[in-house]
Amino acid sequence: MGESEFRTCHVIARSKVSYLVLVALQLTANPAQMSSPLQAISNLPSTLFHHPILAAPSNSTKLNPYLPLPQNGTTVLFTNPDFLPSLPSASLRRTVIHVLDAEEIATPRSSKAVSLISRSAQEAYDQALLALRLAQDNDAVVYHFIASGLEGSVQEVDNVESWLSESLGSPNPNANPDADDAKVEPEDELLATYELTSLSLLKLTRRAQRPFVHHKAESSRLVVNFLPQAIEAENVIDVVLAIPAPKEKLRSSLTGVDEVIVVEGGNGKYGAAWASVVDALEGSDVTIRSVLVGATASPSDISAASSASSPITRIGSAATHNIPTTSIAIPSPESTYTDLLTTSPSPLEILNDPAHLAANESTSPLYAFGKAVAIRKERARLVELAKKVLKASGTKKEVHEALSAWLLVRDEQGAEAAGKKVAAAIGASKGDEQEILELGSKGHWAKRALWIVISNSWAADLASSGLHHALASGLDINLLVYETAASPFSPNAPAQPSKDRKKDLALYALNMGDVYVASVAVYADYAGVINAMREAEKYSGPGLVLAYLPWGEKEDGEVVSAQEKAGPLERLRETKRAVSGGWWPLFRWNPSSADDKRFTLDSSYIKAALSEFLDRQSHLSQLTLATPAIDPSVTSSAGTDLVAARKEKAKKAYDALLNSLDGPGLLVLYASDGGNAEKVAKRLVGRAKMRGVGASLRVLDEIAPSVVESLSEEKNVLVLTSTAGQGEAPQNGREFHKALAKLSPSDKLAETKITVFGMGDSHYWPRPEDASYYNKPARDFFPKLLALGCAELCPLGLGDDSDPDGYQTGYKPFEATLWRALGVDGVEVAEEKEEVVANEHIKIASDYLRGTILEGLADKSTGAIGASDAQLTKFHGTYMQDDRDIRESLKAQGLEPAYSFMIRVRMPGGVCDSKQWLAMDHISDEHGNGTFKLTTRQTFQFHGIVKAHLKKAMQAINRSLLDTIAACGDVNRNVQCTVNPAYSKTHESVYNFSKALSEHLLPSTSAYHEIWLDKKKVGGDAVQPLESEPLYGPYYLPRKFKIAVAVPPDNSVDVFTNDVGFIAIVENDEVIGYNVSVGGGMGVTHGNKKTYPRLGDVIGFVTPEEGCKVAEAIMLVQRDNGNRQDRKNARLKYTVDRLGLPKFKSLVEERFGKPLAAARQFSFDTNLDKYGWAQGHDGRWHFTMFIENGRVEDSSRHQFKSGLREIAQVHKGQFRLTANQHLILSNVEQEDLEEIKRLLAKWGLDNIDHSGLRLSSSACVAFPTCGLAMAESERYLPLLVDKVEKICEEAGIRNDDLVMRMTGCPNGCARPWAAEVAFVGKAPGSYMMMLGGNHTGTRLNKPFLESATEPEILAVLKPMIKRWALERHDGERFGDWTIRAGYIKPTTHGSKFWEESFPAPPPSAPAIMA
């Protein structure tokens, strides 16, 4: 029988699902009396409910259709054939369902289901009593089909309660006494219980209860009647116990019978009763025919069909059962919200509103969701057809105009009127235009606001999976969900709060990221409700509005508690309790709003409490002292150590016990290259254990030698894998991948359930032909494992790094599905947050940057230092790193990474003398890797310094009269300044200004000198430190802080990319003051559009004497207002945008002590270095040389290190480092000029005959030492420049400057976001490409390609550069031209960086006009 046919005849096929049932068992004495059947049945002790049927017991509670039956004990429901299909049966247990006026029987879907048929009044009462006992004793669901038209009175039984409570003995379903250990089928157990209960009831009533009544007659034909009414025929069995069928008794009735006719209701292909009889009589030598009786069949039709010879006879028409929408009662309190819905300015449709449903439609939210899908599909089809007709060559002019006008306003208020004009223009037509008319006539001209109401009173069956489908569909539809429970603060709150908390749905929806979510309460914030409804309708996507309506299921005047009744006033009081106590927060989350406006907190109580807390916290932070450094021996003892050991042992025992309980097992296998998948796997195992799951963790390759054997030992398995290379498995999953390909299906895996979650980036491979690489390992593993014989635990899950929340967008619903599959989704656990050693905690506990650095340096067992100390050493100017080129090979050998340290020197303004240069050269050879780096912050950087040499290198730097303190870390870092020799008269002023800034903002802690220079601790070791940080405090800054000073028109320092910029205003060769800019910064996080680069805003002018004071004021505003919760949003640029520039400026002026003067006029003309010789105002000479990417080394390409060493030995002037990683030999006296020129020529250092592209390029370090690098940068950019140079030469623009920058990660060390063309690493060999910056450092670029490889980069740049060469205006730079040519939109502000990014590049765009 087909599924649809089962539904038509209300057949619910049997399954092995156990049904749950609710209702209180009420036992009251009932003396024998004569009553009507319905009255007598309703007098039986139980909790009664009824669907809105005509003849309903007066002592039962009305239950709306489609709602689950409340359950607590034994429950009885009175219904009829119309309402029976609306009852959700999946959770029923211990329930009796009386189907009144039954014309056919339904086959329930449960292994513990019983179907009884009653054809007389007394029989109906007796079977009701029998059904009650069967439901009570077996947790069974008993369907009792009562024939229509039963008349007469029935004799009720005395002492029903006693009979229900007395023991009936144990049924023995096994006839064979030796078969005690045999598995008992549920139907055999039910049959045995039925017989035992029938015998007991016979003793009580003196009326026999038989599974069927056989009206015997001499005939070779046996008619088995499953209809609730009697039929006219000879030798008839009237079935009473339809399910489970009494097989043995049916077989015993076959004496002399050749043919069996099964008569039942329905009109499908086969009858369920016929199938059960065939099963019961299997092996019998009889013919079994089926008669299916429809709605209009008469007794004579049934009699004739029984006498026919056809194997299957269908008579009558199909039965139709519709639920009248008027039968659904909606509580009037809900109108407080639905009335507000109807005020929508858009056409509105509440999809499950009973008042507007057809007779065959349902109020079910799931049904309504299906309607929504259909409506949105039809409207999308209308739009598609309109566009198609517009493009058609034969479209009439008036139709073309009307359709164009409608498309423009199709989502606005004028859409309906414009649609009518379309209909008028089309007139009589056919084809696509006719379909347009048909769709328009369905109401699709105007976009409707679609709502689904979810209410416990009449529409409550969406459930968590349905909610997920609705929200994850991306469909433009809104859900209004009522919460009617009292808050925990209410005097009327139940002793045991419900676990079904609607407000938790908000957290679920918020995690999805792209769902509009609002939590509202009409009795607390009326305007907020309206705002939420209108915003949800305006948002183009799913919306969830949670509406608080205490006791919304009760009509006004109904009893709430012994003291109160429901009503508006009580709802108002209860709402205030819930909102003011924080139990029901009022908020709105609008994904379409700007980042800083997406979340709106409407709870005034919470706002006030939060403000008070933050104010108190601010005061406390001023009073906080450093954490005392108390030796553990002072506070510990052998006893405390023993207690700690016992607690740890108890915890382990508890964990073992927890995992050995009834919870399911789960083996998590992971494959991970970068460690992200491993981290997710470990976290999932921890979360699983907290839910009672016996979870374990293994590397995927560990089971490669024995895949089938390992998997067959597990009940549940999860494979979690990342994606490597060209869709390859990670390194520690490749052996498994190979082994899997060689395996064939095995029966051993039949009991193993498996699922797979993959982690990848859908935009990692931008070419369409490479799309198959996305999450390929996971998509390959899952079907192969299923083909081997494993069952599916839950569907394949895929996490995409390009989603709004990265892989979490796909992972969160996957994990929820996994918990459901394991049956632990209902387990409530207070999950521990992942323990992360936060930078803020490290700083406050560090004793002013001391930590345990000294102890870590003394530990010779490892080349590393502790994680906390690795954060603290940044403040001292050093980072711990490892050689990533050999990381995997060392790991394969079981060795730790090749740890080393990077040291960065603090050198304000980037100026040193020859002795200091020689010292740096010597340090790189003696302690480092033989090279050193000129950084984009005008200082030196050493790499490859092992831990044993770290302190020696620090001391050597200090002996050269330089230091490293505050070169890194959450403090003011190295201060930059313009070093253009053409302005050497002002350079001295600017340089001294930069030094003063650096010294003024230097941390005061003596920890640096204690650790690296062996100075003694201030105050001694025996007492608490007396020092403090007057500027920074014990927390220091939320994030790094950078300052640069520029002298217009030279912006080689990219002054606006710094947190604070000082722009020198020069008059008559004298610096009269500085314009001040704030809010610049380069750091970005891939895939996180809440992060962005930003250029600074000028806020005023100060004199040189005021510079240090205003810098301090800005830094302190950042110290007190920066985001310390999220380091990705902790830079000053986000503080400025969060507070707003005017507010930020006012805070600075408040600390500065007066308003800032108005900014002065200035302009920049370049951010590049000017190469070659230049003479200063004092007659001295300066030579700017090209140092490719700032790497001072000897290589096959350059001899920078040896050449500069020899020059430093004779040079009497200074070395000036530029912010573009190049070097200026400064202050060469006239008499020394020829010797310096000779040495430059000797080593090829005078060669500046490079292409404009190469001279304008720069790159960060990246691989192999930077721990943040995702791709090559310094080592790769020269090779890429080689190839792009050829394109430039072919286009005739070899000497034209083109600012190209590259970084290995998005943190922006080489300032890529301000370049004309830039590349930011995403993965080895793959880069995000940006276009549109300018050559003055005053405009950010914008993302152009999300992920590009070298061939793709060259394919894009070649035609672009050639067009630029041909089409540019005089002096028009590449970045400006790409915007004018339409390749990219300009970035007008950092917060708009991601807007209109990644446009589709025009492959062969025509020439543009001037």
Side-chain angles (χ1 to χ4, degrees):
M1 181 178 291
E3 177 67 15
S4 61
E5 296 165 316
F6 270 110
R7 288 177 182 154
T8 302
C9 60
H10 306 114
V11 174
I12 314 167
R14 301 167 70 185
S15 73
K16 294 186 177 181
V17 180
S18 296
Y19 287 79
L20 305 173
V21 180
L22 309 166
V23 167
L25 181 62
Q26 304 174 352
L27 303 178
T28 55
N30 186 24
Q33 57 182 342
M34 303 299 291
S35 309
S36 68
L38 185 60
Q39 179 184 351
I41 294 173
S42 64
N43 287 338
L44 294 175
S46 59
T47 303
L48 307 181
F49 293 89
H50 70 271
H51 277 149
I53 56 180
L54 293 177
S58 58
N59 58 339
S60 65
T61 302
K62 183 179 177 180
L63 180 71
N64 268 329
Y66 307 108
L67 292 187
L69 188 63
Q71 311 221 294
N72 184 14
T74 304
T75 309
V76 171
L77 172 69
F78 292 88
T79 186
N80 66 19
D82 285 331
F83 292 100
L84 178 62
S86 75
L87 178 66
S89 59
S91 60
L92 293 179
R93 58 178 287 276
R94 207 169 185 181
T95 299
V96 177
I97 301 170
H98 298 297
V99 185
L100 307 179
D101 299 325
E103 297 177 352
E104 55 187 327
I105 67 167
T107 305
R109 294 172 177 248
S110 173
S111 60
K112 280 198 170 185
V114 177
S115 289
L116 301 173
I117 304 173
S118 293
R119 299 178 179 86
S120 68
Q122 187 63 56
E123 186 179 33
Y125 174 77
D126 292 345
Q127 297 290 0
L129 193 55
L130 178 64
L132 202 61
R133 188 62 193 255
L134 287 174
Q136 171 188 292
D137 290 357
N138 291 73
D139 277 348
V141 182
V142 183
Y143 290 81
H144 182 200
F145 298 93
I146 302 175
S148 60
L150 298 186
E151 297 179 355
S153 58
V154 300
Q155 183 179 1
E156 297 182 54
V157 175
D158 294 331
N159 300 321
V160 172
E161 297 88 344
S162 300
W163 179 74
L164 289 173
S165 61
E166 71 181 19
S167 174
L168 303 182
S170 300
N172 181 15
N174 293 310
N176 182 359
D178 297 327
D180 291 338
D181 296 331
K183 182 178 179 181
V184 179
E185 295 295 333
E187 64 178 39
D188 295 332
E189 184 178 357
L190 283 173
L191 276 172
T193 304
Y194 174 84
E195 293 175 356
L196 188 65
T197 306
S198 298
L199 181 61
S200 175
L201 191 58
L202 171 62
K203 297 176 181 177
L204 180 68
T205 64
R206 302 301 178 183
R207 293 185 292 274
Q209 309 301 324
R210 301 184 178 90
F212 58 80
V213 178
H214 190 173
H215 306 284
K216 293 183 179 180
E218 293 295 330
S219 175
S220 62
R221 176 181 295 163
L222 177 65
V223 179
V224 183
N225 177 27
F226 281 86
L227 296 175
Q229 65 267 24
I231 60 175
E232 299 176 1
E234 294 182 345
N235 202 24
V236 176
I237 288 179
D238 283 328
V239 174
V240 175
L241 178 62
I243 296 175
K247 299 178 182 180
E248 294 299 327
K249 288 185 167 31
L250 281 173
R251 291 193 191 99
S252 65
S253 303
L254 294 180
T255 304
V257 172
D258 298 329
E259 184 180 32
V260 176
I261 298 95
V262 180
V263 181
E264 61 182 307
N267 63 346
K269 188 174 182 181
Y270 299 104
W274 173 85
S276 68
V277 171
V278 169
D279 180 53
L281 302 183
E282 183 180 6
S284 302
D285 188 17
V286 293
T287 301
I288 305 175
R289 293 197 299 109
S290 174
V291 175
L292 293 170
V293 181
T296 58
S298 65
S300 58
D301 292 335
I302 297 173
S303 180
S306 301
S307 304
S309 58
S310 175
I312 301 176
T313 304
R314 299 178 181 85
I315 56 176
S317 59
T320 57
H321 299 290
N322 296 321
I323 297 176
T325 56
T326 54
S327 65
I328 300 172
I330 299 179
S332 59
E334 292 186 11
S335 63
T336 54
Y337 285 98
T338 53
D339 287 348
L340 294 180
L341 274 184
T342 59
T343 64
S344 172
S346 305
L348 176 78
E349 182 171 355
I350 301 177
L351 295 170
N352 58 338
D353 182 358
H356 300 94
L357 296 180
N360 62 341
E361 290 187 309
S362 166
T363 63
S364 158
L366 278 178
Y367 179 83
F369 175 61
K371 285 178 63 177
V373 173
I375 290 172
R376 291 303 186 215
K377 281 185 177 179
E378 286 186 346
R379 192 160 196 274
R381 173 63 177 165
L382 176 60
V383 173
E384 178 188 349
L385 286 171
K387 293 178 179 179
K388 181 179 178 182
V389 171
L390 281 178
K391 295 178 181 178
S393 58
T395 302
K396 293 185 295 184
K397 179 181 179 182
E398 56 272 23
V399 174
H400 194 284
E401 291 176 350
L403 279 174
S404 298
W406 176 77
L407 283 172
L408 289 174
V409 298
R410 64 181 183 272
D411 292 338
E412 301 174 10
Q413 290 190 8
E416 184 69 29
K420 291 180 179 178
K421 291 181 182 179
V422 172
I426 291 177
S429 187
K430 59 183 179 180
D432 291 339
E433 292 184 359
Q434 178 62 31
E435 189 176 352
I436 288 176
L437 292 178
E438 292 173 356
L439 290 171
S441 66
K442 290 183 177 182
H444 293 307
W445 291 126
K447 182 180 179 181
R448 284 173 279 176
L450 303 181
W451 285 87
I452 298 174
V453 177
I454 301 177
S455 165
N456 284 341
S457 298
W458 58 278
D461 72 334
L462 192 62
S464 57
S465 60
L467 179 77
H468 168 73
H469 286 306
L471 298 182
S473 68
L475 203 64
D476 189 359
I477 185 172
N478 302 302
L479 308 178
L480 177 63
V481 181
Y482 294 122
E483 173 60 273
T484 60
S487 73
F489 316 115
S490 171
N492 306 313
Q496 186 66 34
S498 172
K499 294 182 180 180
D500 180 24
R501 302 194 313 175
K502 297 294 193 301
K503 69 174 187 173
D504 293 341
L505 299 178
L507 297 176
Y508 178 78
L510 284 169
N511 281 332
M512 302 185 80
D514 59 349
V515 177
Y516 178 90
V517 186
S519 177
V520 299
V522 72
Y523 287 101
D525 185 4
Y526 182 87
V529 178
I530 296 176
N531 289 336
M533 289 178 173
R534 299 296 87 86
E535 287 177 357
E537 292 170 353
K538 187 177 180 181
Y539 177 63
S540 181
L544 175 67
V545 177
L546 300 172
Y548 189 51
L549 187 62
W551 303 298
E553 75 281 6
K554 295 183 180 293
E555 295 292 340
D556 291 351
E558 287 190 40
V559 174
V560 171
S561 66
Q563 295 79 26
E564 297 177 359
K565 295 182 179 180
L569 183 59
E570 184 49 38
R571 292 191 178 94
L572 174 63
R573 291 171 181 164
E574 187 56 40
T575 300
K576 289 182 67 176
R577 295 186 195 111
V579 173
S580 62
W583 184 80
W584 189 264
L586 304 180
F587 67 85
R588 287 169 284 143
W589 165 262
N590 191 345
S592 64
S593 298
D595 287 350
D596 58 341
K597 296 181 179 179
R598 288 185 177 180
F599 186 81
T600 304
L601 183 63
D602 295 323
S603 298
S604 57
Y605 300 99
I606 298 178
K607 280 183 179 178
L610 182 61
S611 176
E612 180 183 352
F613 169 77
L614 292 176
D615 183 61
R616 182 169 63 251
Q617 188 73 4
S618 178
H619 287 298
L620 288 173
S621 66
Q622 304 297 323
L623 304 173
T624 304
L625 295 176
T627 302
I630 302 174
D631 193 287
S633 63
V634 176
T635 57
S636 65
S637 66
T640 57
D641 292 342
L642 181 60
V643 170
R646 286 176 175 172
K647 286 183 177 180
E648 180 65 21
K649 185 176 181 180
K651 184 179 184 299
K652 290 180 179 178
Y654 174 76
D655 289 343
L657 174 63
L658 185 66
N659 289 331
S660 65
L661 296 176
D662 293 336
L666 177 67
L667 171 63
V668 179
L669 301 167
Y670 72 86
S672 175
D673 274 341
N676 200 21
E678 178 181 357
K679 180 179 178 182
V680 174
K682 290 179 177 178
R683 183 170 177 267
L684 183 139
V685 168
R687 291 163 65 86
K689 289 180 178 179
M690 296 181 71
R691 284 171 168 78
V693 177
S696 57
L697 183 72
R698 295 181 69 181
V699 176
L700 193 56
D701 270 355
E702 289 182 9
I703 70 166
S706 56
V707 174
V708 173
E709 291 73 14
S710 298
L711 294 181
S712 64
E713 295 173 356
E714 305 291 337
K715 293 293 185 183
N716 303 295
V717 179
L718 163 63
V719 177
L720 203 154
T721 178
S722 59
T723 308
Q726 299 295 297
E728 300 156 2
Q731 289 287 348
N732 52 4
R734 292 184 181 178
E735 295 304 317
F736 172 84
H737 193 205
K738 295 175 185 176
L740 192 63
K742 301 175 182 178
L743 297 175
S744 55
S746 171
D747 293 336
K748 295 180 179 179
L749 299 175
E751 299 297 321
T752 300
K753 294 182 178 180
I754 200 151
T755 188
V756 177
F757 185 83
M759 298 172 65
D761 186 346
S762 60
H763 293 118
Y764 182 81
W765 302 275
R767 298 187 305 173
E769 59 267 33
D770 294 337
S772 61
Y773 296 148
Y774 166 62
N775 261 318
K776 191 173 186 298
R779 292 187 293 109
D780 287 347
F781 288 168
F782 192 57
K784 179 62 176 175
L785 288 166
L786 294 180
L788 287 181
C790 297
E792 179 180 301
L793 178 59
C794 63
L796 171 70
L798 299 176
D800 190 351
D801 286 343
S802 294
D803 281 343
D805 291 326
Y807 77 90
Q808 289 281 2
T809 301
Y811 177 74
K812 289 174 182 176
F814 171 82
E815 185 179 278
T817 304
L818 177 65
W819 301 146
R820 284 196 297 273
L822 294 173
V824 295
D825 54 316
V827 178
E828 291 191 356
V829 294
E831 296 181 348
E832 283 184 34
K833 293 183 179 179
E834 186 177 1
E835 187 175 352
V836 178
V837 181
N839 290 63
E840 296 302 313
H841 301 159
I842 295 171
K843 285 183 283 186
I844 189 60
S846 70
D847 190 11
Y848 294 98
L849 307 182
R850 291 175 175 85
T852 56
I853 296 174
L854 275 174
E855 293 83 347
L857 293 174
D859 183 5
K860 297 181 180 180
S861 65
T862 175
I865 57 176
S868 296
D869 291 337
Q871 295 297 322
L872 293 176
T873 53
K874 294 178 183 180
F875 292 79
H876 298 257
T878 180
Y879 280 71
M880 184 173 73
Q881 302 176 331
D882 76 287
D883 191 337
R884 297 177 64 181
D885 286 345
I886 58 174
R887 179 187 288 175
E888 289 300 323
S889 61
L890 291 175
K891 183 178 179 181
Q893 299 172 57
L895 302 174
E896 74 172 9
Y899 290 114
S900 64
F901 291 80
M902 177 273 284
I903 296 179
R904 186 179 295 152
V905 178
R906 183 179 70 94
M907 193 168 66
V911 177
C912 72
D913 58 30
S914 294
K915 289 183 179 179
Q916 290 170 325
W917 181 276
L918 290 172
M920 300 302 107
D921 182 275
H922 179 71
I923 290 169
S924 69
D925 287 336
E926 185 176 357
H927 305 295
N929 62 2
T931 73
F932 58 102
K933 173 94 168 174
L934 311 183
T935 76
T936 55
R937 293 210 64 78
Q938 293 180 282
T939 190
F940 300 109
Q941 199 163 281
F942 303 96
H943 295 91
I945 300 174
V946 297
K947 188 168 74 171
H949 283 256
L950 185 57
K951 191 169 183 177
K952 297 174 184 177
M954 290 285 205
Q955 292 174 340
I957 292 170
N958 277 265
R959 282 195 296 269
S960 72
L961 302 183
L962 295 173
D963 60 46
T964 66
I965 186 171
C968 319
D970 299 340
V971 288
N972 175 55
R973 298 192 177 184
N974 198 54
V975 178
Q976 297 178 273
C977 73
T978 297
V979 291
N980 192 332
Y983 308 104
S984 57
K985 190 170 183 178
T986 60
H987 178 83
E988 183 175 359
S989 298
V990 171
Y991 171 63
N992 290 332
F993 181 75
S994 302
K995 286 180 63 177
L997 286 172
S998 182
E999 295 297 329
H1000 183 73
L1001 301 179
L1002 205 62
S1004 299
T1005 178
S1006 61
Y1008 180 84
H1009 299 84
E1010 295 167 18
I1011 294 170
W1012 307 111
L1013 307 180
D1014 296 325
K1015 303 293 184 180
K1016 288 191 176 181
K1017 187 175 182 181
V1018 176
D1021 292 328
V1023 298
Q1024 182 175 333
L1026 300 177
E1027 65 179 310
S1028 64
E1029 287 283 8
L1031 292 180
Y1032 292 99
Y1035 297 95
Y1036 294 86
L1037 299 181
R1039 203 70 165 82
K1040 67 180 76 171
F1041 193 83
K1042 297 181 178 181
I1043 298 177
V1045 187
V1047 182
D1050 183 345
N1051 189 25
S1052 58
V1053 294
D1054 275 331
V1055 65
F1056 294 116
T1057 65
N1058 290 265
D1059 297 88
V1060 178
F1062 288 93
I1063 303 162
I1065 305 300
V1066 181
E1067 292 181 3
N1068 300 321
D1069 291 333
E1070 295 291 332
V1071 178
I1072 64 168
Y1074 298 89
N1075 283 346
V1076 182
S1077 68
V1078 297
M1082 290 283 96
V1084 174
T1085 301
H1086 279 315
N1088 185 350
K1089 294 186 179 180
K1090 294 178 183 178
T1091 64
Y1092 48 84
R1094 190 187 190 279
L1095 297 181
D1097 296 302
V1098 176
I1099 61 172
F1101 172 87
V1102 295
T1103 65
E1105 296 76 18
E1106 295 171 330
C1108 289
K1109 187 175 181 181
V1110 76
E1112 175 185 326
I1114 295 169
M1115 191 181 78
L1116 295 183
V1117 171
Q1118 164 66 353
R1119 181 196 68 184
D1120 295 342
N1121 295 277
N1123 184 354
R1124 293 182 182 271
Q1125 299 299 316
D1126 182 3
R1127 289 184 65 81
K1128 292 179 181 178
N1129 284 91
R1131 288 289 298 274
L1132 177 69
K1133 58 183 175 180
Y1134 301 115
T1135 306
V1136 172
D1137 284 349
R1138 188 175 69 252
L1139 295 176
L1141 189 63
K1143 175 64 175 177
F1144 184 87
K1145 180 181 177 182
S1146 69
L1147 292 174
V1148 171
E1149 290 173 333
E1150 180 180 337
R1151 286 189 176 272
F1152 183 55
K1154 65 178 181 179
L1156 297 172
R1160 307 295 177 89
Q1161 291 294 319
F1162 69 96
S1163 65
F1164 292 121
D1165 60 19
T1166 184
N1167 63 352
L1168 299 176
D1169 295 328
K1170 289 180 170 56
Y1171 298 95
W1173 286 102
Q1175 189 174 20
H1177 74 288
D1178 56 3
R1180 294 177 179 176
W1181 291 88
H1182 312 270
F1183 179 75
T1184 303
M1185 69 181 71
F1186 172 76
I1187 307 290
E1188 190 160 36
N1189 297 320
R1191 179 63 62 179
V1192 180
E1193 64 177 347
D1194 291 337
S1195 68
S1196 58
R1197 296 170 69 104
H1198 309 288
Q1199 297 292 306
F1200 292 136
K1201 198 164 188 291
S1202 297
L1204 288 169
R1205 182 189 303 124
E1206 185 172 348
I1207 290 173
Q1209 290 169 352
V1210 300
H1211 179 45
K1212 300 172 185 176
Q1214 290 83 37
F1215 290 81
R1216 296 180 179 178
L1217 281 59
T1218 78
N1220 290 314
Q1221 302 176 308
H1222 304 304
L1223 181 66
I1224 301 174
L1225 283 180
S1226 183
N1227 293 328
V1228 178
E1229 299 288 350
Q1230 182 67 41
E1231 60 267 24
D1232 299 325
L1233 183 60
E1234 291 306 316
E1235 177 62 12
I1236 295 298
K1237 285 185 176 180
R1238 184 187 69 81
L1239 292 174
L1240 289 171
K1242 173 185 176 182
W1243 295 100
L1245 300 180
D1246 61 346
N1247 179 21
I1248 55 174
D1249 187 24
H1250 300 291
S1251 69
L1253 172 66
R1254 191 175 298 276
L1255 292 172
S1256 306
S1257 66
S1258 60
C1260 70
V1261 176
F1263 290 143
T1265 55
C1266 179
L1268 301 175
M1270 303 175 183
E1272 291 283 1
S1273 181
E1274 179 187 326
R1275 299 191 297 194
Y1276 171 63
L1277 182 59
L1279 305 178
L1280 179 64
V1281 169
D1282 288 343
K1283 297 172 183 178
V1284 180
E1285 261 180 345
K1286 294 179 181 178
I1287 297 173
C1288 294
E1289 289 174 357
E1290 292 172 4
I1293 55 171
R1294 178 186 184 277
N1295 296 324
D1296 291 68
D1297 295 331
L1298 197 168
V1299 182
M1300 177 185 287
R1301 295 173 181 168
M1302 176 178 284
T1303 58
C1305 78
N1307 286 317
C1309 293
R1311 304 190 298 277
W1313 315 110
E1316 293 180 281
V1317 58
F1319 305 95
V1320 174
K1322 294 193 71 177
S1326 180
Y1327 299 84
M1328 183 163 69
M1329 179 179 177
M1330 274 68 60
L1331 292 176
N1334 64 12
H1335 66 291
T1336 61
T1338 57
R1339 183 179 65 231
L1340 293 171
N1341 51 34
K1342 189 176 287 292
F1344 182 68
L1345 294 178
E1346 188 158 19
S1347 184
T1349 59
E1350 181 180 288
E1352 292 158 346
I1353 291 170
L1354 297 176
V1356 168
L1357 283 180
K1358 186 171 184 176
M1360 199 178 289
I1361 290 174
K1362 288 184 176 180
R1363 282 192 62 198
W1364 172 49
L1366 293 172
E1367 302 171 7
R1368 60 183 174 169
H1369 294 161
D1370 288 342
E1372 187 176 27
R1373 300 297 295 265
F1374 181 74
D1376 299 328
W1377 176 85
T1378 56
I1379 293 174
R1380 186 170 67 86
Y1383 282 97
I1384 202 76
K1385 297 289 185 182
T1387 298
T1388 56
H1389 188 271
S1391 61
K1392 300 183 183 298
F1393 175 74
W1394 295 105
E1395 293 182 7
E1396 300 183 276
S1397 58
F1398 308 121
S1404 56
I1408 61 174
M1409 303 301 293

